[in-house]
């Protein structure tokens, strides 16, 4: 055997031709290694994983703990000049010669094909990866000391794999010194002098090694990293030592095991330990997942590593997928997946699209669920929540792993994994959907309630199992959401509260916490639930007992005290009033607890707003009581005592509150009735003043209540409070306003006593009452005051006699002046009644104001008025005579003579109509004393002159007295004569054609005082004389020489006749203006405008009027006269100018023609002013400025707006270039005006075909503006004829776009496409299609949805896209479809996108093709049939199945010739039974079996094709034949043989074991009955064959018949088993045939009616038959199939075979 050195030299000589013959493959080897090493890994760091992988795959001696050690040193022990050297120490068995041969090769790994042995490396160049960090690696192992070079060897030009022997640099002693001279050097050492640029990456990778790298390595137990420098301070690599230990297996069964793995590490002096729960499960490899690199592997092994929670919480991210070593795939899952994945070359990721890996990934959910279930069911309570942290809640960045996540979720949702709250010792688990979560606040309530003794045994009795409180926390929200654990429904809480006694049996603190919980969740959860109807609200009933109300019933019934110190008071009085009030109070202790609650505000708000619990104080409670008493007389009185004590004893009520409550509370009246509504209260009648004055209650109608005697009696309440008698009455007087006369408000009724004379006492009492009323500003009722004022209760003296009189007819002197007698002497009409002071005494005068208030008079003026009123009453009755009038005048003169002021008397009579005038009786101030100065006024007014014929001339003697009375004496401005003229002005009908002096008087009256009355009377009256007769003022003009020319434009305008009125009329310009006369230019202009508008309305403004008006317009403008705006508007708006269109238009709608309009006028109907000789002539042009100021358009740019509305194309062929360009210019000007809007019909006019194109005249929307960038010719579309319009046309691109012309390339598709019909030249059509395809054009009409198929250069046809396909690779459709790629070589995708042309024939096309073949009797070639069914199998789906099933009548049949015939699918069959196939092929000359390719093709699998045939209606031969047993004739040679010769104990045992399988679902009695049927058979042996007949019916009615020998038959009716005698000379073939028929017959007989398991039993029986049903063999066979029999079966077997 060669030494290591000799072995190396042999390799160099034989393989690399160093010192030997040249190897022709050396250069190929060099290039292969170089490319593979350069491309395999994307990152430097992968060399480390490859080295660890190699160490794991190495072999170790028994008893050795495999270890791997990395040491990096700055020492250059290789003398290569390396800045650092990496040494790897491994205590493996060491390199063998075979290993050395492998490492000196490419792709010759010694581990290939050894996955079963646990090798995890497989690429064969793992070691070569070190060349990424070193140019010269060294290996020292088992006597080998070699190195390799990255560069080509100088002897053979090959790098990487040529070994060189190493004698020195380094030596073993140098290596041992670095490793540690005191320790034995491991067997294998790798020395890697690092490349300068790789030192830092290597150190970083060594420093980042994580303990998890050892997780799934089965061999390596220890891994360490350290740095060796002479100065330790220079060390930069984190030293680490990792150790792995495994606990005993916790669970192990057929396919899975679990254990705990510990990883410990020492790093920088600190120890750290990681613990993992490991689950390893095996899965059989499915055939569809097999790949070449794993063909020898029969089982997938998936290991899941679950870290402890502390590590899980500490980790940021780590690899989630391992292929024994970590990949760089981060799954986002809280566990690690390990399996024998196939990796990408870079080892970064697994190959997700590889079917081997997909098979692993599909098995991960099952492994996870099993692992998770194991942990959940076996974990102690305290660790159970941590187990749920291992669920893959977060989605992965890889969609394939998200499928794993979703599958895990779907499986877990169906497992009982969620613990419910533990109420007993036993733990219970449920499916996630069966468990509900509770809100955290409710958990707190439950925990406290449980501590206080409340039983929660029924917690899960309300429709949901309740999630364990250990899991029902916020930190598990994401996990529970992942498992779709839902909160309990809102109704649950109500059920729980009611069913768990959470209200009655808890402390007030917990009770309030419960209420607060309900309150805070009321709106969002509980409002619409049964929470309203459960007993929840505490209250104290009228007996002082604690009770409960539901929220529904508590509404407006339950109350709490607003003030804590009032609660006892309210609860106590509520017992008193409990029989009438519906309210109850929350217990005092509960109220106190609410006050001390931290969330008092929230709780009270809910109680008030949602529960409607009232929050009241004593005042609120008192208010509530007021309406509750009904007819409870005692409680009404008791209520007064409640108010009295609440005010005087407790101070719970204020004076003001008590006043209000007493005002609305019910009272008990003198009849003992309860009165609820009243307007006042009277003290009891007994001892009152009102009873002495009024006798009866006059306030009864006003709902005044007389208090009953109940309020006079002592009263005791609740056996504690006593109210003294006087204090209660005093209380009622003060607060209930129980009053007596004179301090009571007067009644609204008459006082009977005042109708006659009152006693002095009652009169003084009445005056005192009136004084009280007045001093308190009380409004006395009318009836009350009227009865006092009109009643004759006051004693007066009259003509010496004492008589009763009403106050209104009585006097009481306010002074000592005796004017009474004086008045009586001066007038015989006066009679003054005076109050009798002797009767009342002088004290009556202190009631002077009260007497005055009821009508008693006391002043001289009142006396005068009294006399005057008497006189006026006579006048009113018509009894005032002429003498009376003179008496009045004389009495006035008497008063003046006696120095008494007559004013009071005059004032009392001056308004009376007692003075006779020419117009009837009038008051003095309405009368006039006539003289001559009133003569002119008499013409226009109806003045009431005093009737001198009646009174005579004597009346004039009293002019002074008449003037004092107000009569007008004499005509003057001072006396108001002009006002009288106006006041008595005659009606309008009497004021027409007024004389000059009368009109001037009217104007004079207006000047003194403007009067609307005069204006109204004269405005419409023809009272003014003009040059055209009398006219109304509004029709008249008062002319001014400056602007009279305007009025001279038309004849018949009326002017005021100044000669008739004298020139003074001009001085009344303002008054005339008020009457409506037009006196200034502005008004005159407006008046002229009315004439102007009227003439224009009937087209009567002549050309002379127009010229005259323009002339006056020019004159007035020069004189600086400005026309009012409305006049200007009239001139601009009225249609008074004649146009060339022979109509009249307003100036703003007219144009004054000029040279600029010449080009546009031929294509428009513009309103030019008629400047023809027949009308205005050219003279109109002189007034250009005036016309322009009036609004006439004179400039072209101002008139373009008329072009749009006046456009008129009479003959498009006559439209010149100038006409069109002028139109373009007009449109451009209009477009620049952002405020202009084109008329509605403009686009319609433009839509005519008036634009000249290369294809004739077209509308603008059909036109395009040519540009060479389109890639089209001018004749390809409706491009505008630029040769006609010239180059200037291109300057109007924006205008052309506006009118619809297409100028942008991408918008021209519709127009270009419409022209396709007019082309037939193929080159043109291709050019157009190329253009359309650039912009993804799609056809909009059926005409456009056609495709041109050429036939020569200028011929062809249009075809429908439905009849086309882009290509036909099969070549089958040349007659059925148009294949576009035969004609078009470019833009084929255009036809698919634009016309929806199919890329290739569809399934429907193939069906149509097949149907055509069916109908024509076409004999298919093998190539045609293959292509057709290749397509069908490739595109087979449920839809395809339905189509073929409905459409295809015939299927291909093998005719045996070169062609394939199509036959009815009812007559062609699938040969699923080879025996039947052989029988029918031998007996039938016609083809009856369906065609399939022979040999099978890669793209047309025989299996897939037959499956398709079966789905579309082709039957299998086995299901189509009718099997008939050929009767066994009596002539056949038969003999009965012993049963045990054929039905042996091993047979029965095997059958019993098979029937006992749980999958069969047959109990022991049933299976024993079945076997008895077998045991009771009579076995008959025959010499002749036992035949069976097979009939096959065809669609034609023909039936094919064949016969075959079966050797065995079970006749159930006769309980016989026939068997043909075995011919031993025929050998094994006959034996296997007999075994087959026997096993089939017995299996069918045993499993009669249970056909699903016949084949399975038959195969078992066939194998046992060949073993002659040997019992030992049968026992082993049963174990291998996991079958067994039970005690009852053994007993049965013993009884059936007793001798055995």
């Amino acid at each position: 055997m060669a030494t290591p050195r000799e072995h190396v030299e042999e390799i160099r000589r034989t393989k690399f031709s160093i010192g030997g013959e040249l190897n022709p493959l050396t250069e190929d080897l060099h290039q292969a290694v170089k490319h593979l090493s350069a491309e395999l890994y994307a990152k430097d760091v992968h060399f480390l994983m490859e080295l660890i992988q190699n160490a794991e795959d190495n072999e170790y001696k028994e008893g050795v703990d495999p270890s791997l050690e990395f040491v990096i040193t700055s020492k250059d022990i290789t003398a290569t000049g390396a800045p650092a050297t990496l040494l790897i120490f491994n205590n493996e068995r060491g390199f063998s010669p075979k290993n050395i041969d492998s490492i000196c090769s490419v792709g010759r790994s010694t581990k290939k094909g050894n996955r079963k042995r646990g090798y995890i490396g497989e690429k064969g160049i793992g070691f070569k990866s070190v060349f990424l960090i070193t140019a010269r690696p060294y290996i020292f192992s088992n006597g080998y000391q070699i190195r390799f070079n990255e560069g080509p060897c100088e002897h053979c030009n090959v790098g990487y794999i040529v070994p060189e022997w190493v004698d020195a640099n380094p030596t073993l002693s140098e290596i041992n010194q670095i490793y540690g001279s005191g320790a034995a050097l491991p067997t294998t050492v790798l020395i890697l002098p690092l490349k300068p640029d790789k030192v830092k990456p290597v150190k970083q990778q060594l420093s980042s090694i994580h303990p998890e790298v050892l997780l799934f390595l089965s061999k390596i137990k220890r891994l360490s990293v350290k740095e060796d420098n002479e100065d330790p301070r220079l060390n930069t690599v984190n030293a680490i030592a990792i150790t792995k230990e495994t606990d005993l297996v916790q669970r192990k069964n057929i396919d899975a095991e679990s254990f705990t793995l510990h990883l410990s590490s020492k790093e920088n002096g600190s120890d750290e330990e990681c613990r993992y729960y490991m689950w390893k499960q095996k899965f059989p490899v499915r055939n569809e997942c097999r790949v070449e690199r794993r063909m020898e592997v029969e089982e997938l092994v998936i290991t899941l590593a679950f870290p402890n929670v502390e590590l899980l919480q500490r980790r940021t991210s780590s690899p989630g997928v391992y292929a024994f070593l970590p990949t760089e795939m981060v799954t986002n899952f809280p566990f690690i997946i390990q399996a024998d994945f196939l990796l990408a070359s870079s080892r970064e990721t697994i190959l997700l699209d590889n079917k081997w890996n997909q098979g692993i990934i599909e098995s991960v959910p099952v492994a996870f669920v099993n692992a998770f279930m194991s942990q959940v069911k076996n974990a102690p309570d305290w660790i159970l929540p941590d187990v749920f942290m291992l669920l893959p809640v977060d989605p992965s960045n890889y969609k394939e792993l998200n499928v794993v996540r979703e599958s895990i979720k779907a499986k877990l949702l169906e497992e009982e994994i969620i613990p419910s709250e533990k109420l007993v010792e036993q733990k219970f688990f449920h499916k996630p959907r069966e468990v509900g979560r509770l809100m955290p606040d409710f958990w707190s309530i439950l925990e406290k309630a449980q501590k206080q003794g409340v039983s929660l045994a029924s917690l899960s009795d309300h429709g949901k199992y309740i999630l364990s409180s250990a899991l029902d926390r916020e930190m598990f929200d994401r996990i529970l959401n992942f498992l779709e654990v839902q909160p309990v429904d809102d109704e649950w809480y109500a059920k729980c509260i009611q069913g768990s006694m959470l209200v009655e049996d808890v402390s007030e603190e917990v009770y309030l916490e419960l209420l607060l919980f309900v309150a805070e969740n009321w709106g969002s959860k509980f409002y619409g639930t049964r929470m309203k109807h459960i007993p929840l609200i505490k209250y104290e009933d009228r007996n002082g007992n604690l009770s409960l109300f539901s929220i529904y019933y508590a509404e407006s019934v339950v109350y709490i005290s607003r003030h804590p110190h009032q609660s006892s008071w309210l609860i106590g009085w509520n017992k008193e009033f409990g029989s009438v009030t519906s309210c109850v109070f929350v217990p005092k202790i509960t109220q106190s607890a609410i006050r001390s609650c931290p969330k008092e505000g929230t709780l009270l708000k809910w109680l008030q707003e949602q529960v409607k619990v009232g929050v009241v104080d004593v005042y609120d409670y008192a208010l509530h009581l007021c309406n509750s008493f009904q007819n409870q007389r005692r409680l009404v009185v008791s209520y007064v005592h409640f108010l009295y004590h609440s005010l005087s004893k407790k101070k719970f009520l204020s004076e003001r509150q008590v006043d209000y409550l007493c005002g609305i509370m019910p009272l008990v009246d003198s009849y003992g009735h309860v009165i609820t509504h009243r307007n006042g209260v009277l003290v009891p009648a007994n001892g009152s003043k009102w009873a002495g004055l009024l006798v009866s209650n006059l306030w009864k109608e006003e709902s005044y209540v007389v208090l009953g005697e109940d309020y006079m009696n002592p009263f005791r309440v609740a056996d504690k409070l006593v109210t003294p008698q006087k204090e209660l009455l005093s209380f009622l007087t003060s607060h209930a306003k129980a009053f007596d006369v004179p301090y009571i408000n007067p009644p609204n009724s008459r006082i009977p006593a005042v109708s006659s004379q009152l006693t002095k006492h009652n009169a003084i009492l009445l005056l005192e009452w009136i004084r009280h009323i007045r001093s308190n500003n009380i409004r006395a009722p009318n009836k009350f005051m009227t009865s006092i004022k009109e009643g004759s209760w006051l004693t007066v003296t009259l003509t010496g006699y004492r008589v009763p009189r009403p106050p209104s007819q009585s006097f009481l002197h306010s002074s000592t002046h005796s004017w009474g007698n004086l008045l009586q002497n001066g007038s015989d009409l006066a009679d003054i009644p005076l109050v009798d002071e002797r009767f009342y005494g002088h004290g009556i005068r202190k009631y002077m104001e009260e007497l005055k208030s009821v009508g008693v008079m006391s002043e001289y003026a009142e006396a005068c008025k009294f006399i005057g009123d008497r006189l006026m009453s006579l006048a009113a009755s018509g009894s005032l005579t002429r003498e009376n009038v003179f008496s009045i005048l004389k009495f006035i003169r008497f008063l003046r003579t006696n120095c008494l002021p007559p004013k009071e008397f005059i004032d009392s009579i001056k308004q009376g109509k007692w003075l006779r005038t020419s117009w009837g009786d009038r008051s003095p101030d309405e009368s006039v004393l006539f003289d001559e100065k009133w003569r002119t006024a008499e013409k226009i007014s109806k003045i009431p002159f005093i009737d001198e014929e009646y009174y005579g001339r004597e009346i004039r003697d009293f002019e002074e007295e008449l003037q004092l009375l107000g009569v007008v004496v004499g005509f003057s401005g001072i006396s108001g004569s002009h006002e009288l003229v106006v006041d008595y002005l005659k009606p309008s009908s009497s004021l027409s054609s007024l004389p000059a002096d009368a009109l001037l008087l009217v104007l004079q009256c207006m000047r003194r005082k403007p009067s609307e009355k005069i204006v109204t009377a004269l405005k419409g009256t023809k009272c003014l004389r003009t040059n055209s007769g009398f006219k109304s003022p509004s029709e008249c003009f008062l002319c001014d020489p400056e602007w009279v020319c305007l009025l001279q434009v038309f004849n018949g305008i009326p002017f005021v006749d100044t000669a008739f009125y004298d020139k003074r009329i001009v001085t009344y310009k303002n008054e005339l203006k008020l009457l409506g006369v037009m006196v200034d230019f502005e008004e005159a202009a407006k008046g002229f405008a009315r004439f102007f508008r009227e003439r224009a309305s009937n087209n009567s403004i002549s050309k002379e009027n127009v010229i005259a008006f323009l002339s006056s317009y020019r004159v007035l403008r020069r004189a600086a006269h400005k026309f009012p705006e409305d006049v200007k508007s009239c001139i601009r708006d009225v249609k008074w100018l004649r146009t060339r269109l022979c109509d009249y238009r307003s100036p703003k709608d007219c144009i004054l023609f000029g040279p600029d309009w010449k080009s546009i006028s031929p294509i428009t109907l513009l309103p030019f002013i008629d400047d023809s000789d027949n009308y205005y002539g050219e003279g109109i042009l002189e007034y250009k400025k005036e016309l322009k100021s009036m609004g006439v358009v004179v400039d072209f740019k101002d008139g373009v707006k008329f072009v749009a509305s006046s456009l008129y194309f009479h003959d498009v062929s006559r439209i010149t270039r100038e006409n069109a360009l002028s139109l373009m210019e007009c449109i451009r000007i209009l477009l620049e005006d952002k405020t202009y809007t084109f008329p509605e019909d403009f686009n319609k006019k433009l839509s005519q075909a008036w634009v000249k194109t290369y294809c004739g005249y077209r509308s603008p929307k059909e036109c395009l503006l040519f540009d060479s960038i389109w890639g089209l010719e001018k004749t390809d579309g409706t491009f505008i004829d630029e040769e006609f319009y010239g180059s200037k046309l291109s300057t109007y691109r924006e205008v052309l776009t506006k009118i619809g012309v297409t100028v942008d390339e991408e918008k021209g598709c519709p127009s270009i496409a419409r022209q396709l019909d007019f082309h037939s030249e193929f080159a043109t059509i291709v050019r157009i299609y190329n253009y359309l395809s650039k912009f993804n054009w799609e056809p909009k009409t059926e005409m456009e949805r056609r495709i041109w198929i050429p036939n020569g250069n200028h011929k062809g046809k249009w075809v429908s896209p439905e009849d086309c396909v882009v290509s036909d690779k099969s070549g089958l459709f040349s007659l059925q479809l148009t294949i576009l790629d035969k004609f078009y070589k470019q833009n084929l995708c255009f036809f698919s996108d634009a016309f929806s042309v199919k890329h290739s024939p569809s399934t429907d096309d193939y069906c149509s093709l097949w149907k055509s073949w069916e109908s024509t009797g076409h004999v298919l070639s093998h190539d045609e049939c293959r292509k057709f069914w290749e397509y069908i199998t490739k595109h087979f789906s449920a839809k395809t199945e339905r189509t073929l099933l409905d459409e295809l009548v015939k299927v291909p049949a093998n005719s045996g010739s070169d062609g394939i015939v199509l036959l009815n699918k009812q007559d062609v069959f699938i040969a699923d039974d080879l025996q039947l196939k052989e029988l029918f092929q031998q007996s039938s000359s016609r083809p009856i079996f369906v065609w399939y390719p022979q040999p099978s093709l890669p793209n047309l699998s025989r299996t897939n094709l037959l499956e398709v045939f079966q789905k579309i209606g082709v039957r299998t031969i086995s299901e189509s034949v009718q099997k008939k047993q050929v009767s066994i004739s009596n002539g056949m040679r038969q003999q009965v043989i012993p049963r045990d010769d054929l039905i042996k104990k091993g047979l029965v045992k095997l059958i019993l074991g098979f029937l006992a399988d749980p999958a069969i679902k047959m109990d022991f009695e049933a299976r024993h009955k079945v076997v008895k049927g077998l045991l009771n058979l009579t076995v008959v042996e025959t010499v002749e064959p036992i035949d069976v007949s097979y009939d096959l019916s065809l669609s034609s009615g023909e039936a094919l018949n064949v016969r075959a020998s079966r050797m065995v038959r079970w006749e159930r009716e006769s309980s016989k088993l026939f068997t043909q005698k075995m011919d031993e000379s025929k050998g094994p073939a006959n034996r296997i045939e007999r075994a087959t028929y026997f096993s089939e017959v017995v299996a069918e007989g045993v499993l009669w009616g249970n056909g699903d398991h016949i084949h399975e039993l038959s195969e078992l029986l066939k194998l046992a038959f060949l073993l002659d049903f040997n019992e030992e063999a049968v026992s082993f066979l049963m174990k291998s199939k996991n079958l067994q029999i039970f005690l009852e079966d053994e007993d049965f077997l013993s009884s059936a075979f007793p001798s055995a």
Side-chain angles (χ1 to χ4, degrees), residues 186-376:
T187 311
T188 299
V189 182
L190 303 183
I191 301 100
L192 309 178
L194 300 178
K195 297 176 181 178
D197 60 331
K198 303 303 179 184
V199 175
K200 185 176 180 180
V202 169
K203 286 186 175 183
Q204 288 176 343
Q205 177 62 10
L206 291 172
S207 296
S208 62
I209 288 181
H210 194 279
E212 290 171 338
V213 75
L214 300 186
L215 259 181
F216 304 105
L217 300 181
S218 61
K219 298 178 182 176
I220 296 180
K221 305 299 182 184
R222 185 176 179 276
L223 185 147
S224 67
V225 175
K226 71 176 181 178
E227 185 171 5
D228 178 65
N229 284 309
E230 292 182 0
D231 185 356
R233 292 177 297 179
L234 299 178
N235 290 351
T236 58
V237 173
N238 295 331
I240 186 171
I242 308 169
T243 306
K244 179 175 72 172
E245 294 181 5
T246 303
D247 285 352
L248 294 176
V249 173
Q250 296 175 345
R251 179 180 182 273
K252 192 168 185 177
N253 58 20
I254 295 173
D255 60 356
E257 65 180 40
S258 63
F259 53 90
T260 302
L261 187 146
H262 297 269
L263 293 177
S264 59
S265 64
K266 293 184 178 181
E267 185 174 3
N268 297 329
S270 62
D271 293 346
E272 186 176 338
E273 182 176 330
C274 310
R275 179 170 50 84
Y276 287 85
Y277 175 79
M278 310 294 286
W279 178 270
K280 181 186 290 187
Q281 187 165 355
K282 297 177 182 179
F283 296 89
V285 178
R286 301 198 306 273
N287 289 332
E288 64 268 23
C289 296
R290 291 188 180 277
V291 293
E292 184 178 355
R293 289 160 62 184
R294 295 290 187 270
M295 288 303 292
E296 79 280 8
V297 180
E298 297 296 332
E299 288 183 323
L300 300 174
V301 180
I302 297 176
T303 304
L304 303 179
F306 300 93
N308 58 20
V309 175
E310 293 77 11
L311 178 63
L312 197 64
Q313 295 169 344
R314 190 167 64 243
R315 177 195 300 153
T316 54
S317 65
S318 65
V321 176
Y322 277 57
F324 302 101
L325 289 170
T327 67
E328 294 192 8
M329 291 181 67
V330 177
T331 63
N332 286 345
F333 295 164
F335 56 88
I336 298 172
I337 304 171
Q338 148 65 29
D340 186 15
F341 289 108
L342 290 175
L343 300 176
S345 297
S346 64
R347 188 177 261 282
E348 292 177 357
T349 62
I350 65 173
L351 300 172
L352 290 170
D353 57 349
N354 182 276
K355 59 182 181 180
W356 170 266
N357 289 342
Q358 290 171 352
I360 295 174
I361 290 172
E362 289 170 5
S363 301
V364 168
V366 176
F368 178 88
V369 171
N370 290 338
F372 186 76
M373 291 284 292
S374 174
Q375 292 188 74
V376 166

Side-chain angles (χ1 to χ4, degrees), residues 601-716:
T602 302
L603 192 53
L604 285 176
K605 182 179 180 182
W606 175 72
L607 287 170
Q608 289 179 260
E609 295 181 359
Q610 302 300 331
V611 187
K612 306 300 182 186
V613 168
V615 179
V616 299
D617 55 15
V618 172
Y619 175 68
D620 298 326
Y621 180 67
L623 278 176
H624 175 75
L625 283 175
C626 273
N627 299 319
S628 305
F629 295 119
Q630 298 178 355
N631 293 319
Q632 299 289 329
R633 172 177 172 183
R634 177 187 174 282
L635 293 179
V636 170
V637 176
S638 183
Y639 181 75
V640 178
H641 291 270
F642 164 64
L643 295 181
Y644 167 76
H645 288 285
S646 296
L647 171 66
S648 60
K649 303 298 183 183
K650 294 293 183 179
K651 306 299 181 185
F652 289 156
L653 294 173
S654 66
E655 295 279 350
R656 184 176 179 181
Q657 291 172 333
V658 171
D659 288 345
Y660 176 74
L661 292 170
C662 287
I664 63 171
M665 68 181 178
L667 293 171
V668 177
D669 66 5
S670 56
Y671 299 102
H673 299 151
V674 175
I675 307 299
T676 56
H677 300 288
R678 66 181 186 277
N679 291 328
V681 182
L682 293 174
V683 297
N686 185 13
S688 67
K689 293 180 181 179
W690 64 265
L693 176 62
L694 307 176
V695 181
S696 64
N697 179 10
L698 299 182
W699 290 269
K700 186 180 297 182
E701 297 299 325
E702 299 173 43
S703 301
Y704 269 62
V705 176
V706 178
L707 290 176
E709 297 296 325
D710 300 53
Y711 297 101
M712 304 290 288
N713 301 323
F715 205 84
R716 179 178 294 275

Side-chain angles (χ1 to χ4, degrees), residues 34 320 412 474 479 1033 1152 1482 1617 1691:
K34 183 176 180 180
L412 290 177
E474 185 179 356
I479 294 169
L1152 191 63
Q1482 291 173 354
L1617 182 69
D1691 293 341

Side-chain angles (χ1 to χ4, degrees), residues 889 915 929 946 955 958-967:
L889 296 174
L915 196 58
L929 191 62
I946 293 175
I955 195 70
F958 294 97
E959 282 188 6
E960 290 186 14
E961 286 73 23
L962 289 170
Q963 280 184 314
L964 288 173
L965 286 168
V967 175

